[in-house]
C-alpha cells in the first residue's frame, strides 16, 4: 500500500481490522477523525451492491475512538450514483429489498455514532446526492454539480432521496431536477442550504478536516443529540418537540462532561464565543 499523505493538521494513518479489508473504500485516521474515501474512481465511484455493503459495514464498525468522519471521493468525481450496470431486471420484491439495503446503509450514516462531513467535488449525481444528503455537513469545491437523472433513466430515487433531499433544498427544486434534469452547481447548493461551506479547488478535504476536528472536540453527547434528536424534533408537533427538547437538554446538561465544561468557562479556562 502506498503511504497515505501527510496533512497539515495531523498524521494520516491507515486503519486496521475490518475496515482495512474494504477494498472499495480507502480509510485512514487523522487523530479522532476517520477519513473514508469512495475508492472506485475508474467507475466514477458509482455505488455497486458491493460498495453499498462496504459503506454499511464501515459505518457500523467505526473505531471506538472516532469522534467525526470525513467522507470524500477519489478521482474527478464524488459519486456518479447507482451503478447502472447492476440495474438488471429485478422482480418487485428484490427491487424493494435493494432499495431497503441503501436505506439501511445511509441510516447507519445519518443515525450512527458520530457526525459525518462530506467533501464534494465533480459529479454528485443520483445516489451520490442521496449519500451526501445522509451526511451532517457538506463542503463543496467549485467543480461540484448536483443532478438527479433518474427521470432520464426511467427510474426513481431509492436511496432515501425523496425523504432527505426535499428537506435540504425543497420539494420544488427536487421536482425540477427529476422532471427536467436540471443541474445545480456548488454556489446554487450553498444558496439552497445543502452546501454548508464552499472551498477552493483542491482545498475541500483540508476544509472538511478542519471542520471535523472542531466537531471531534465537542462533547459526544451534544453531537449525538444533534444527530439523533434534532431531526426527530423537527418532525414532531411543536408541543411534542418542546417536550423532547426538554428531555434531551436535561440528559445533556447533567453529564459529567457538561458539568466540567460549564465549570471551565466559569473559571475563565474555556474559550469565549467571539466573531471569527
Ligand atoms: C458508471 C456510472 C454509473 C460512470 N454506473 N457505471 N447515474 C447516472 O446516470 C450518471 C452516469 N454517469 C455519467 O453521467 C458520467 O459517467 C459522469 C458525468 C459521472 C462522468 O463522466 P466521465 O466522462 O468522467 O466518465 P465516463 O467515461 O462516463 O465513465 C467512466 C466509467 O465509469 C465508464 O465505464 P468504462 O468501463 O467504460 O470505463 C462508465 O460506464 C462508468 N460509470 N457512471 C455504472 N452510474 C438508489 S437509486 C439511485 C439512482 C441513481 O443513482 S440514478 C443516477 C445514475
Amino acid at each position: 500500500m502506498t503511504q497515505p499523505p501527510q496533512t497539515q493538521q495531523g498524521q494520516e494513518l491507515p486503519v486496521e481490522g475490518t475496515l482495512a479489508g474494504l477494498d472499495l473504500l480507502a480509510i485512514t485516521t487523522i487523530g479522532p477523525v476517520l477519513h473514508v474515501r469512495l475508492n472506485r474512481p475508474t467507475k466514477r465511484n458509482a455505488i455497486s451492491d458491493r460498495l453499498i455493503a462496504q459503506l454499511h459495514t464501515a459505518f457500523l464498525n467505526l473505531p471506538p475512538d472516532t469522534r467525526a468522519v470525513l467522507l470524500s471521493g477519489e478521482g474527478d468525481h464524488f459519486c456518479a450514483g447507482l451503478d447502472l450496470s447492476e440495474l438488471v431486471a429485478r422482480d418487485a420484491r428484490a427491487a424493494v429489498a435493494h432499495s431497503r439495503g441503501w436505506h439501511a446503509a445511509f441510516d447507519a450514516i445519518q443515525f450512527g455514532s458520530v457526525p459525518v462531513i462530506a467533501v464534494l467535488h465533480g459529479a454528485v449525481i443520483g445516489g451520490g446526492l442521496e449519500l451526501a444528503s445522509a451526511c451532517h455537513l457538506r463542503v463543496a469545491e467549485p467543480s461540484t454539480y448536483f443532478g438527479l437523472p433518474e427521470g432520464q433513466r426511467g427510474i426513481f430515487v431509492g436511496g432515501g432521496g425523496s425523504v432527505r433531499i426535499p428537506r435540504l433544498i425543497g420539494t420544488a427544486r427536487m421536482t425540477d431536477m427529476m422532471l427536467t434534469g436540471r443541474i445545480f452547481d456548488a454556489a446554487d447548493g450553498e444558496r439552497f442550504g445543502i452546501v454548508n461551506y464552499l472551498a477552493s479547488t483542491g482545498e475541500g478535504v483540508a476544509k472538511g478536516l478542519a471542520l471535523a476536528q472542531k466537531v471531534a472536540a465537542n462533547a459526544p453527547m451534544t453531537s449525538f443529540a444533534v444527530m439523533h434528536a434534532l431531526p426527530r424534533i423537527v418532525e414532531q408537533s411543536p408541543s411534542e418537540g418542546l417536550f423532547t427538547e426538554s428531555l434531551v437538554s436535561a440528559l445533556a446538561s447533567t453529564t459529567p462532561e457538561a458539568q466540567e465544561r460549564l465549570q471551565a468557562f466559569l473559571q475563565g479556562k474555556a474559550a469565549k464565543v467571539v466573531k471569527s
Side-chain angles (χ1 to χ4, degrees), residues 3-25:
Q3 282 300 311
Q6 296 276 323
T7 68
Q8 284 182 343
Q9 289 109 325
Q11 199 186 8
E12 192 151 5
L13 299 170
V15 283
E16 293 168 359
T18 306
L19 300 194
L22 304 174
D23 63 315
L24 299 178
L25 299 172

Side-chain angles (χ1 to χ4, degrees), residues 128-214:
L129 178 51
E130 295 181 295
L131 170 60
S133 301
C135 299
H136 303 94
L137 293 173
R138 283 154 294 272
V139 175
E141 293 195 4
S143 60
T144 304
Y145 64 99
F146 302 100
L148 288 172
E150 281 84 348
Q152 288 136 270
R153 310 281 180 232
I155 56 178
F156 189 65
V157 285
S162 58
V163 169
R164 295 192 178 97
I165 298 169
R167 284 175 166 77
L168 290 166
I169 67 170
T171 308
R173 292 196 185 97
M174 179 166 173
T175 302
D176 191 4
M177 293 173 86
M178 291 202 69
L179 291 182
T180 70
R182 186 165 181 182
I183 299 289
F184 291 119
D185 65 16
D188 293 328
E190 195 202 20
R191 243 173 348 111
F192 302 160
I194 190 169
V195 170
N196 300 91
Y197 297 88
L198 294 171
S200 311
T201 302
E203 297 296 321
V205 167
K207 177 71 190 168
L209 179 57
L211 293 168
Q213 285 170 331
K214 282 189 189 181

